[in-house]
């Protein structure tokens, strides 16, 4: 046990699991919401380009001030409804560092102000006195300095509701945004869940299947053994990814269908290992003794043969998870998964389909890809460690 | 009779035929056990009545199941796969233009990665603990744990966008050039896919060959060869490598089916005109005759490779052929 605790991969895996469980809960909004303009870069690159800023005018916060030290941003969106205590004519105003004020929106003597403005709207441009082909952002953000967005008249109090303002620059968040303006970091954290869930449950199911077949074939021998092993041979001879693609394409793309499909075609290796182990154990003296005591075959199999092979089995599970994760990611990358389920493969599929290359959006490709690789490497390392613990002869490898 | 059953070649051939039968049955039922009427899944509702009638007659969907199966096997054996829903052309016509592309892509990549891997593996085994051995081990772990599509996407990003020296998609430029230019254009488009497959593939070869060679180096006859004072190169290639050749040959053939999966992914990433992409597009477009045909073709290639591997193994290693105990 100590050897496992000393492995970096073990702690990496724990980190992934914790991040997968708790990470997505730290976000207030769902991962599907647009948080910034599409293909925003991460905040920590190209710091001379404009970042995305979000504000809300809420009760007790009737104006916001911010420093703007960049070129004019590509877009601004303002939306939401604010309710007031009394009927007034309210307006939303942007004040730039030169002291000029620009009217963004207003109501006509109501108890509320509803705003739904996008910087690219025709009506918005016309309202600013621009032609539909002009860029209003140059008008709104002419210089660097301190800007204020506030409600007018100044004694206005918001009773409830909020007006959200988002200045959509070209940088946002830890890992930027994708083609729909979603937070890539949030998607990345959600992807951990799917990879671990599918990888581990498919491997467990496959192991269950493989152990049953291996135990039965090894212990029963004879015709049963021959038939089962021929089935294994046949399944091994069918091309892997194509049959998975056909099954996923026909049987639906849900998560559990995927788990079942993956496990149907990955139990054969375990079955062979367990069978050969059982074959050698079957002839050992303690099994003969058990038989002489009148133990039933099922008792011998599950109370004695199975625990004997448990260490090897654990290593097998750890070594099997990466291939299940890779297969899931591959199918999702090919577009054969449920588009509503966010997984790393799906993220790469969308990055590929929406031209992350033509825009150079590396932050859409590297996080999911590195995530998959790291998880796989962690499981491989863990599996090798478990294997060495089960069979110390492997330590240092047969090749040393 | 019993002699025939025990015969190695006979057993292998029967085994392959059984796999072929299973593939046929799978292929037959997969597209028929879906919920609902099989007719509605095979025949697109937007088809004209004549086309429906034509397809009905072609697939014999009004016949009993066993007759359908007979007709189905007959059509597959004669490569008459029916019409594609998407392109309205015979599926075989569609496949025929794609097979050479896929064979070229996989064949070249496979040969290059095997040759490079074997050479590096031998060299790594010769110089234990050298920088080369570390490179080999690293390349091996890359090919085991990095998803191929991720590596290819990164390559595409580097050589298609950051340093745009290779095309981002396609097997040929649009419009395609003619004459010798077309060949160069094709090779130019194929360079990055082949390079990526070699990068992903040579590591596992190198590790496999390295481990084999290390085992061989500890044999007594190598010691004898050294004691005889043979030149190091002769010991390396003439003795050690020669002795490790049978498992390498078998591995070579056994690895062939595995790269078919690579075809699907690679052709999708680079948007190439090939069988793998055709299979994916057919599945995504619910083009069942085309998907069935592409799957059947890939399965046939796999079965042939496995059978050839068995035969080669039997030829180079008489112990296998002459009835060893299977355990």
């Amino acid at each position: 046990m100590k050897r496992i605790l000393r492995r970096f991969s073990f702690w990496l895996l724990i980190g992934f699991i914790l991040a997968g469980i708790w990470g997505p809960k730290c976000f207030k909004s769902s991962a599907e919401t647009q948080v910034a303009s599409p293909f925003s870069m991460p905040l920590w690159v190209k710091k001379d380009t404009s970042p995305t800023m979000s504000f809300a005018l809420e009760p007790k916060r009737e104006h916001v001030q911010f420093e703007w030290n960049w070129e004019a941003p590509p877009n601004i969106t303002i939306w939401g409804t604010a309710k007031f205590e009394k009927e007034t004519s309210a307006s939303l105003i942007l004040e730039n560092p030169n002291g000029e004020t620009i009217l963004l929106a207003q109501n006509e003597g109501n108890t509320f102000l509803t705003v739904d403005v996008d910087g690219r709207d025709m009506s918005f441009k016309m309202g600013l006195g621009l032609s539909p082909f002009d860029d209003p952002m140059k008008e709104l953000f002419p210089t660097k300095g301190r800007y204020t967005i506030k409600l007018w008249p100044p004694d206005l109090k918001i009773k409830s509701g909020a007006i959200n303002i988002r200045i959509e620059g070209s940088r946002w968040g830890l890992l930027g945004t994708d083609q729909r303006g979603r937070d890539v970091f949030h998607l990345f954290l959600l992807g951990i869940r799917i990879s671990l869930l599918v990888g581990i449950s498919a491997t467990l199911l496959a192991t269950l299947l493989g152990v049953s077949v291996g135990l039965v074939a090894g212990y029963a021998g004879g015709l049963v053994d021959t038939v089962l092993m021929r089935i294994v041979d046949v399944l091994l001879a069918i091309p892997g990814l194509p049959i998975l693609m056909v099954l996923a394409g026909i049987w639906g793309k849900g998560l559990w269908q995927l788990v079942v499909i993956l496990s149907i075609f990955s139990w054969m290796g375990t079955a062979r290992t367990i069978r050969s182990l059982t074959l050698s154990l079957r002839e050992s003296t303690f099994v003969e003794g058990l038989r002489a005591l009148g133990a039933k075959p099922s008792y011998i199999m599950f109370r004695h043969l199975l625990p004997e092979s448990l260490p090897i089995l654990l290593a097998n599970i750890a070594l099997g998870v990466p291939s299940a994760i890779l297969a899931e990611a591959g199918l999702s990358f090919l577009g054969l998964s449920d588009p509503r389920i966010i997984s790393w493969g799906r993220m790469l599929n969308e990055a590929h389909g929406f031209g992350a290359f033509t825009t150079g959006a590396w932050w859409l490709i590297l996080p999911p890809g590195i995530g998959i690789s790291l998880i796989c490497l962690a499981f491989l390392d863990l599996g090798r460690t478990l294997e060495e613990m089960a069979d110390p002869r492997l330590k240092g490898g047969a090749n040393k | 009779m019993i002699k025939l059953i025990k015969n190695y070649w006979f057993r292998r051939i029967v085994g392959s035929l059984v796999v072929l039968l299973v593939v046929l049955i799978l292929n037959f039922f997969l597209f028929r056990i879906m919920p609902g009427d099989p007719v509605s899944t095979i025949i697109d509702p937007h088809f004209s009545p004549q086309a429906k009638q034509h397809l009905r007659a072609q697939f014999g969907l009004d016949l009993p199941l066993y007759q359908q199966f007979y007709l189905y096997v007959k059509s597959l054996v004669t490569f008459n796969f029916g019409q594609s829903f998407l392109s309205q052309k015979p599926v075989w016509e569609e496949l025929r233009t794609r097979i050479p592309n896929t064979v070229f892509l996989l064949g070249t990549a496979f040969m290059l990665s095997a040759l490079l891997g074997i050479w590096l593996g031998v060299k790594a085994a010769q110089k234990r603990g050298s920088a080369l051995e570390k490179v080999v081990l690293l390349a091996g772990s890359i090919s085991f744990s990095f998803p191929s599509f991720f590596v290819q996407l990164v390559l595409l990003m580097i050589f298609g966008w950051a340093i745009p020296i290779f095309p981002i998609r396609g097997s040929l430029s649009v419009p395609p050039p003619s004459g010798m230019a077309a060949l160069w254009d094709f090779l130019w488009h194929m360079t990055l896919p082949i390079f990526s497959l070699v990068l992903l593939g040579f590591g596992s070869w190198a590790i496999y060959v390295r481990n084999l060679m290390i085992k061989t180096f500890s044999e007594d006859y190598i010691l004898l060869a050294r004691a005889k004072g043979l030149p190091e190169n002769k010991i390396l290639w003439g003795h050690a490598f020669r002795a490790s050749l049978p498992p390498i040959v078998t591995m070579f053939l056994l690895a062939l089916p595995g790269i078919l999966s690579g075809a699907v992914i690679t052709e999708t990433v680079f948007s190439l005109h090939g069988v793998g992409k055709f299979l994916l597009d057919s599945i995504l477009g619910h083009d069942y005759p085309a998907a069935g045909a592409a799957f059947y073709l890939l399965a046939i290639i796999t079965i042939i490779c496995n059978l050839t591997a068995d035969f080669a193994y039997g030829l180079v290693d008489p112990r296998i052929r002459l009835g060893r105990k299977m355990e």
Side-chain angles (χ1 to χ4, degrees):
Chain A
M1 204 57 211
K2 255 188 185 165
R3 284 191 57 191
I4 291 195
L5 292 181
R6 257 185 270 138
R7 302 302 297 191
F8 174 66
S9 59
F10 176 74
W11 296 107
L12 183 70
L13 209 59
I14 296 285
F16 265 121
I17 293 172
L18 292 180
I21 294 172
W22 299 110
K25 290 188 180 160
C26 300
F27 293 86
K28 271 178 272 172
S29 55
S30 111
E32 297 289 335
T33 46
Q34 187 186 354
V35 289
S37 56
F39 295 119
S40 296
M41 282 177 277
L43 261 183
W44 39 273
V45 290
K46 285 198 184 162
K47 296 211 170 136
D48 51 335
T49 57
S50 53
T52 294
M53 290 185 176
S54 298
F55 313 103
L57 298 181
E58 298 158 331
K60 299 196 182 99
R61 192 164 184 242
E62 279 81 20
H63 74 281
V64 287
Q65 275 198 333
F66 56 93
E67 290 285 338
W68 188 260
N69 297 321
W70 301 274
E71 297 283 296
N75 194 19
I76 185 169
T77 51
I78 307 166
W79 74 100
T81 302
K83 290 205 174 82
F84 308 120
E85 273 155 6
K86 57 181 191 290
E87 197 165 299
T88 64
S89 59
S91 45
L92 189 68
I93 282 171
L94 173 79
E95 193 180 309
N96 65 26
N98 305 339
E100 300 158 349
T101 55
I102 295 165
L103 179 70
L104 295 171
Q106 62 181 357
N107 71 353
E108 281 137 22
N110 269 327
T111 56
F112 58 90
L113 171 67
T114 298
V115 195
D116 188 8
V117 167
D118 187 299
R120 293 161 297 192
D121 286 348
M122 292 277 198
S123 52
F124 180 64
K125 291 180 188 177
M126 307 291 253
L128 291 174
L130 299 167
S131 93
F133 307 105
D134 283 334
D135 181 9
M137 303 316 290
K138 294 251 163 24
E139 201 74 15
L140 293 177
F141 293 88
T143 55
K144 298 172 181 177
R146 182 171 292 267
Y147 284 80
T148 310
I149 295 178
K150 58 189 175 188
L151 286 168
W152 196 261
D155 59 338
L156 205 58
K157 294 273 176 277
I158 300 179
K159 197 173 80 186
S160 63
I163 291 174
N164 302 291
I165 300 141
R166 186 163 65 219
I167 303 161
E168 298 189 339
S170 41
R171 293 187 290 135
W172 193 86
L174 202 55
L175 290 175
T177 61
D178 70 353
Q179 77 284 348
R180 275 159 59 190
R182 295 179 295 180
D183 182 357
V184 174
F185 185 59
H186 195 171
L187 299 179
F188 175 81
L189 290 178
L190 281 172
I192 298 176
R193 290 183 174 185
I194 300 301
S195 276
L196 286 176
L197 198 68
V198 172
I200 293 176
S201 44
T203 313
L204 285 182
L205 201 60
T207 308
L208 198 71
L209 216 66
V211 167
S212 329
V213 172
L215 273 180
V216 170
Y219 192 79
L223 188 67
V224 180
D225 182 30
T226 314
V227 169
L228 286 175
M229 284 302 111
R230 286 298 88 77
I231 292 176
V232 166
D233 287 346
V234 167
L235 279 178
L236 279 173
I238 293 175
L241 189 65
I243 185 77
L244 289 181
M245 286 169 64
V246 170
L247 283 174
I250 291 173
W251 271 358
K253 302 165 173 180
L255 208 57
W256 297 113
Q257 277 105 315
L258 207 62
V259 167
V260 171
I261 290 169
L262 286 179
S263 49
I264 289 178
F265 285 91
S266 53
W267 55 271
M268 292 85 76
T270 316
R272 279 193 167 172
T273 315
I274 294 296
R275 173 178 169 271
S276 58
L277 259 174
T278 315
L279 275 178
S280 61
L281 284 175
R282 189 177 63 174
E283 304 307 327
S284 60
T285 32
F286 82 91
V287 175
E288 210 179 330
L290 282 166
R291 263 199 301 263
L293 286 170
K296 272 185 269 174
S298 61
Y299 177 83
I300 296 176
M301 270 193 264
F302 288 102
R303 292 304 297 274
H304 289 275
L305 298 188
L306 192 60
E308 277 294 311
S309 45
L310 205 60
I312 290 285
L313 209 56
L314 272 178
N316 241 343
I317 291 175
L319 291 173
V321 172
S323 51
I325 289 179
L326 284 180
E328 186 274 333
L331 284 180
S332 310
F333 171 71
L334 293 173
L336 290 165
S337 68
D338 188 340
R340 289 165 301 178
I341 297 171
I342 295 155
S343 68
W344 286 338
R346 194 83 213 170
M347 286 168 77
L348 287 170
N349 167 275
E350 287 176 4
H352 180 245
F354 288 92
F357 317 104
T358 44
T359 49
W362 51 265
W363 56 92
L364 294 181
I365 295 173
L366 293 186
I370 291 174
I372 298 171
S373 313
L374 275 184
I375 277 207
C376 290
L377 280 174
F379 270 108
L380 278 179
D381 184 67
L382 217 59
R384 295 231 175 91
T385 314
L386 284 170
E387 212 170 40
E388 278 173 20
M389 284 162 69
D391 185 358
R393 274 171 304 175
L394 287 171
K395 197 172 175 185
N399 41 41
K400 277 205 175 158
Chain B
M1 189 64 200
I2 288 183
K3 209 173 171 189
L4 188 65
I5 290 172
K6 288 236 168 113
N7 185 297
Y8 176 75
W9 312 117
F10 177 78
R11 285 173 55 155
R12 291 299 126 192
I13 292 172
V14 169
S16 299
L17 287 178
V18 169
V19 176
L20 182 65
L21 190 68
V22 170
V23 165
L24 283 175
I25 293 173
L26 260 180
N27 211 354
F28 178 73
F29 281 107
L30 272 182
F31 297 104
R32 280 171 180 77
I33 54 169
M34 286 162 287
D37 181 14
V39 181
S40 65
T41 56
I42 300 249
I43 295 178
D44 194 68
H46 305 298
F47 274 20
S48 68
Q50 287 92 334
K52 278 185 187 173
Q53 197 51 49
H54 179 70
L55 276 171
R56 242 176 237 279
Q58 192 176 16
F59 286 96
L61 283 171
D62 41 355
L63 297 170
L65 216 55
Y66 67 93
Q67 281 190 17
Q68 280 189 44
F69 187 68
Y70 167 73
L71 284 174
Y72 155 84
V73 170
K74 207 171 97 182
S75 72
L76 284 195
V77 170
T78 53
F79 283 178
N80 172 20
F81 298 120
Q83 294 234 342
S84 160
F85 293 159
L86 290 176
S87 66
Q88 308 290 327
K89 281 189 243 162
V91 173
W92 178 236
E93 294 280 307
E94 293 270 323
L95 274 174
R96 217 173 47 190
T97 62
R98 285 170 165 87
I99 291 172
N101 279 352
T102 303
V103 168
F104 175 77
L105 170 76
L106 294 182
T108 318
F110 188 62
M111 294 303 281
L112 283 177
S113 56
L115 288 178
L116 183 68
I118 290 172
W119 188 74
L120 281 178
V122 171
K123 286 284 162 194
Q126 189 188 15
K127 291 186 186 132
R128 301 291 317 276
S130 63
L132 183 74
E133 191 178 28
K134 286 186 183 108
V135 169
V136 163
L137 291 174
L138 184 76
S141 63
I142 286 181
S143 60
F144 282 128
S145 53
F146 279 63
S148 57
F149 48 90
F150 170 57
V151 174
Q152 288 169 339
L153 285 172
V154 170
L155 282 176
L156 204 53
M157 192 108 201
I158 296 172
F159 295 109
W161 177 76
I163 320 164
I165 46 174
F166 289 112
I168 281 185
R169 51 179 292 121
S171 292
L172 281 173
S173 298
V174 181
S178 55
M180 273 308 279
L183 183 66
W184 286 118
D185 189 57
F186 177 68
L187 288 178
W188 181 55
H189 278 80
M190 283 300 180
T191 312
L192 204 51
I194 289 175
F195 173 68
S196 70
L197 282 175
V198 172
L199 187 71
L200 285 163
F202 83 90
S204 51
W205 273 107
I207 285 192
Y208 180 71
V209 172
R210 166 186 165 274
N211 293 347
L212 269 178
M213 290 293 285
I214 285 170
K215 216 172 271 172
T216 317
F217 270 133
S218 64
E219 300 280 349
D220 288 342
Y221 58 83
I222 300 292
L223 195 67
L224 177 68
R226 287 231 169 84
K228 279 199 300 190
L230 287 179
E232 196 56 36
N233 252 345
K234 184 148 171 90
I235 297 173
L236 187 65
W237 296 104
H239 288 84
F241 184 66
R242 267 291 288 280
S244 319
L245 208 52
I248 294 178
V249 169
T250 321
M251 189 64 190
F252 192 83
L253 290 159
L254 280 180
L256 272 173
I259 59 169
L260 290 177
S261 310
V264 180
I265 301 249
T266 309
E267 285 170 4
T268 306
V269 172
F270 294 97
S271 310
L272 302 177
H273 187 75
V275 180
K277 180 99 171 68
F278 183 68
L279 173 66
L280 178 66
D281 288 343
S282 319
I283 291 173
L284 288 177
H286 300 281
D287 187 350
Y288 293 120
F295 174 67
Y296 173 71
L297 204 69
L298 291 177
I300 291 262
I301 296 174
T302 312
I303 292 168
I304 291 174
C305 289
N306 283 337
L307 191 63
T308 322
D310 281 340
F311 274 32
Y313 209 11
L315 275 180
V316 296
D317 194 343
R319 283 170 299 179
I320 305 260
R321 176 171 21 127
L322 301 172
R324 56 151 196 186
K325 277 290 248 185
M326 288 310 274
E327 263 59 76

